[in-house]
Amino acid sequence: MASDDGNTPPTLTLELGSDKVSYREFQRVVRSFTNLLQDISEEACGDRKAVHWEISVSRGSLQIAADLPAETDPKTADRVLDTVSRPPRRVRRSLDRFPRPVPVTRLLTGEDRRDILLEEQREEGRHPSQLAEYGTVEGTLDTLSARGRLHFTISEPIWNMAVQCTVPEQLVEAMRGMWRQRVSARGMVHYDREGLPTSIRAEEVELFPYDERPIAEYRGLLAAD
């Protein structure tokens, strides 16, 4: 949480070592940053929307900073800062999968501005290919027919890949009605060696609105001088 004199660094700063990043990569990294902030909020407060982050963007070496407003309850601030400084399992998994659009992508925290992405890379025995966790996959629903059975895929241009989706029998008819529409599927997600989702065993599937988030949340900030 920033102090009145402005000397205290933000809680988290995402730093891309280049101000030229493709739209697709920027969308990926902003979405991951948003999801990470929500994971931190849920771990610290039990609610993904409990923490009202203040976002600021700097030019040059592109920086997106997330901080706690000055009026944040001190107990909430302490829980958030403790979650950031000592990431629990859920947050570590988000860090494992965090995209790095340029080689010098960093995620800085603390007074010493240590890079927690680098810390996760160095942690022995951890790799995204080992991960399967409960989460959400969003994209356009397609179907494939094979040997008389329906197989669903969720296609997302950000990943440039199709995620295989399996559902319980009772969801099949509902899925038929969502064909070629954007959906949000929640369940057990499996990831490849790059930390990208490859399959999901979905327990819930619902239509997802075309609201262009999370880019829309940052568009005004990026346009500012």
Side-chain angles (χ1 to χ4, degrees):
M1 185 159 50
S3 63
D4 294 338
D5 59 13
N7 292 328
T8 302
T11 304
L12 279 172
T13 301
L14 174 64
E15 184 179 274
L16 308 181
S18 171
D19 58 1
K20 294 183 179 180
V21 181
S22 71
Y23 173 82
R24 178 176 293 177
E25 291 293 344
F26 180 73
Q27 192 176 28
R28 279 187 63 209
V29 77
V30 170
R31 174 174 290 179
S32 295
F33 190 53
T34 301
N35 288 339
L36 176 63
L37 296 179
Q38 291 175 340
D39 285 344
I40 291 171
S41 174
E42 185 167 3
E43 285 293 334
C45 306
D47 184 348
R48 292 175 69 81
K49 298 181 179 180
V51 178
H52 301 286
W53 296 94
E54 289 185 341
I55 306 296
S56 58
V57 178
S58 303
R59 288 187 173 183
S61 183
L62 181 61
Q63 294 183 340
I64 303 175
D67 204 5
L68 302 176
E71 62 272 17
T72 300
D73 178 77
K75 292 183 179 179
T76 298
D78 287 343
R79 290 197 299 268
V80 170
L81 294 175
D82 184 64
T83 300
V84 172
S85 61
R86 292 178 293 183
R89 186 177 182 182
R90 178 199 300 268
V91 177
R92 290 203 311 268
R93 285 177 170 174
S94 294
L95 294 172
D96 271 333
R97 301 194 309 273
F98 205 93
R100 294 165 175 80
V102 292
V104 287
T105 299
R106 301 192 300 167
L107 191 56
L108 309 176
T109 189
E111 294 285 347
D112 56 353
R113 313 309 287 145
R114 75 183 198 276
D115 181 4
I116 57 177
L117 283 182
L118 182 62
E119 290 178 0
E120 289 303 309
Q121 278 186 313
R122 288 177 174 175
E123 189 171 341
E124 186 175 357
R126 295 185 57 81
H127 197 284
S129 63
Q130 301 170 344
L131 292 179
E133 66 171 351
Y134 199 80
T136 301
V137 172
E138 299 164 2
T140 302
L141 181 66
D142 292 314
T143 57
L144 297 174
S145 180
R147 297 180 182 177
R149 298 186 60 186
L150 284 177
H151 296 262
F152 298 98
T153 61
I154 298 176
S155 302
E156 174 54 75
I158 294 174
W159 306 318
N160 194 29
M161 63 188 298
V163 179
Q164 297 180 10
C165 178
T166 58
V167 297
E169 187 67 29
Q170 62 267 27
L171 288 182
V172 170
E173 286 304 314
M175 295 280 280
R176 289 176 186 265
M178 300 179 188
W179 184 56
R180 293 292 176 89
Q181 298 186 68
R182 188 170 178 82
V183 300
S184 175
R186 187 161 181 82
M188 188 60 64
V189 185
H190 293 262
Y191 300 89
D192 65 11
R193 293 183 60 85
E194 301 300 323
L196 299 177
T198 59
S199 66
I200 178 172
R201 185 178 296 276
E203 299 175 0
E204 302 175 25
V205 182
E206 60 183 3
L207 292 176
F208 190 84
Y210 289 87
D211 60 0
E212 295 187 344
R213 287 185 297 171
I215 292 297
E217 299 172 5
Y218 294 88
R219 185 169 290 135
L221 292 170
L222 292 173
D225 291 333

